Amino acid sequence: MKSESLFRHLIKNRLLVMMSLPAVIFFFIFSYLPIAGLVIAFKQYNYQDGIFGSPWAGFDNFRFFFISGKALLVTTNTFLYNFAFIIVNNILEIVLAIALVEITGKWFRKITQSMLFLPYFVSWVTVGLLLYGFADFDSGIINGFMRSSGSEPIDIYNSPGYWPFLIILISAWKSVGYGMIYYLAAIMSVDPEIYEAAQIDGANIFRRIWHLTLPFLIPTIVILVLLAIGNIFRGDFGLFYQLVQNNGVLYDKTDVIDTFVFRSLLTTREEGMAAAAGFYQSVLCFVTILIANYMVKKYNKDYSLF
């Protein structure tokens, strides 16, 4: 009876089902089918026997990953960078969204929004080349300016201490314009009469922002932060790899789990260890989102994801 009613429901809403079918197929192929490949993390993989024919290795791949001396480093780097991205990017997105709403000039608002949004479409390869053009020791614009002004040039690509700030800055430059749209949409959905009433009651712009705009943004902020926390142990591969490339001097400050897995495959050809690191990363993300969602649900269940 239940299957009959489900079938009738699908027939009745066939247009909606057809519209959702491409997304379902996409996620099934690229998100669900690859789950079977996790078995590589527990096998001594070789090309001759394939994924399911290779001999079992138990937890040896995980042990090799942890005794390599890089597990704690790349995990810490991944967490700290993403934590900084969540704090810095969200604050900038909220501030810019509020500023754009309060700007009175229509054309100025459109131009500003377009300029902020544009970096999102620039590929990380291009960003890496731009950074190299600015920061290269011999021919970079920054060092050229410093030499012409009589200052000592800075060897940025051999100075790991600069890179945490550089990566956070470049991440914000590229992604804040896109992330701002969520907050902008949330602000624009608020009834304008509420702001008009507050203005009539004598509330200035700062009071309106503090007592009206920010409280309305809290559900959006919580949801976006929760989604970001779910990926707090997953680094942006394009960001960390294209900016640093294969500069071993910077690895201690810039290597994350994703780049470590990639370089492991290139240099050691240890597919099992790379798969174990990826599995370890997925488990960390899963546990983190469960804990964060549980804490939010304890505070206010309406703000939780599930």
Side-chain angles (χ1 to χ4, degrees):
M1 192 70 180
K2 286 184 179 179
S3 61
E4 219 177 285
S5 100
L6 175 62
F7 182 73
R8 286 180 182 174
H9 181 73
L10 292 175
I11 294 297
K12 182 180 177 182
N13 299 282
R14 57 187 177 276
L15 288 177
L16 294 176
V17 173
M18 291 293 290
M19 289 172 64
S20 64
L21 200 58
V24 171
I25 293 172
F26 175 86
F27 283 105
F28 177 74
I29 293 174
F30 294 102
S31 297
Y32 286 91
L33 282 182
I35 292 177
L38 289 175
V39 73
I40 298 175
F42 304 94
K43 290 202 167 191
Q44 190 65 41
Y45 177 77
N46 63 77
Y47 292 100
Q48 184 177 352
D49 297 323
I51 294 176
F52 300 104
S54 298
W56 289 96
F59 289 96
D60 286 350
N61 290 321
F62 292 90
R63 186 173 61 85
F64 183 52
F65 170 61
F66 283 105
I67 66 174
S68 66
K70 291 290 185 180
L72 181 60
L73 174 68
V74 297
T75 302
T76 304
N77 283 349
T78 307
F79 174 81
L80 291 177
Y81 274 117
N82 281 312
F83 182 76
F85 295 159
I86 291 171
I87 300 297
V88 173
N89 290 5
N90 276 282
I91 290 175
L92 290 176
E93 287 162 8
I94 292 168
V95 170
L96 289 173
I98 293 173
L100 280 178
V101 170
E102 297 296 337
I103 289 174
T104 53
K106 182 180 177 182
W107 287 105
F108 182 74
R109 181 192 301 173
K110 286 185 176 181
I111 293 170
T112 305
Q113 186 174 350
S114 300
M115 293 297 293
L116 290 170
F117 194 63
L118 185 62
Y120 179 77
F121 296 101
V122 180
S123 72
W124 282 119
V125 177
T126 306
V127 174
L129 291 173
L130 287 172
L131 178 63
Y132 185 81
F134 274 96
D136 181 52
F137 183 77
D138 295 318
S139 57
I141 295 174
I142 295 173
N143 284 324
F145 175 77
M146 294 185 73
R147 286 189 183 97
S148 64
S149 62
S151 304
E152 286 292 324
I154 304 171
D155 194 357
I156 293 175
Y157 281 93
N158 284 308
S159 304
Y162 292 110
W163 283 86
F165 304 100
L166 268 176
I167 288 174
I168 293 169
L169 176 65
I170 292 171
S171 172
W173 170 78
K174 194 173 188 300
S175 60
V176 162
Y178 179 83
M180 174 190 66
I181 293 174
Y182 296 107
Y183 295 111
L184 198 58
I187 297 172
M188 298 300 288
S189 66
V190 180
D191 189 351
E193 292 182 1
I194 298 176
Y195 287 100
E196 291 172 6
Q199 195 168 1
I200 291 170
D201 288 341
N204 59 30
I205 183 172
F206 298 106
R207 288 187 175 275
R208 293 198 301 271
I209 291 171
W210 184 257
H211 293 289
L212 293 176
T213 305
L214 290 177
F216 278 120
L217 285 179
I218 287 177
T220 306
I221 294 170
V222 172
I223 290 172
L224 291 178
V225 169
L226 272 177
L227 292 172
I229 287 174
N231 287 315
I232 201 165
F233 287 103
R234 195 174 301 280
D236 188 334
F237 177 79
L239 166 63
F240 290 97
Y241 183 75
Q242 294 298 338
L243 296 187
V244 178
Q245 291 293 327
N246 293 314
N247 189 347
V249 177
L250 306 176
Y251 285 173
D252 285 349
K253 291 289 187 180
T254 62
D255 220 12
V256 293
I257 299 175
D258 303 76
T259 52
F260 175 79
V261 170
F262 179 74
R263 291 192 181 99
S264 297
L265 280 172
L266 285 183
T267 56
T268 65
R269 306 301 301 173
E270 287 287 345
E271 290 84 359
M273 191 193 74
F279 186 81
Y280 160 77
Q281 181 185 42
S282 299
V283 170
L284 284 178
C285 290
F286 179 68
V287 172
T288 305
I289 190 63
L290 286 180
I291 294 172
N293 189 73
Y294 175 79
M295 293 172 65
V296 170
K297 189 181 286 188
K298 281 290 185 182
Y299 172 72
N300 189 333
K301 65 179 181 179
D302 293 332
Y303 294 161
S304 63
L305 292 176
F306 49 86

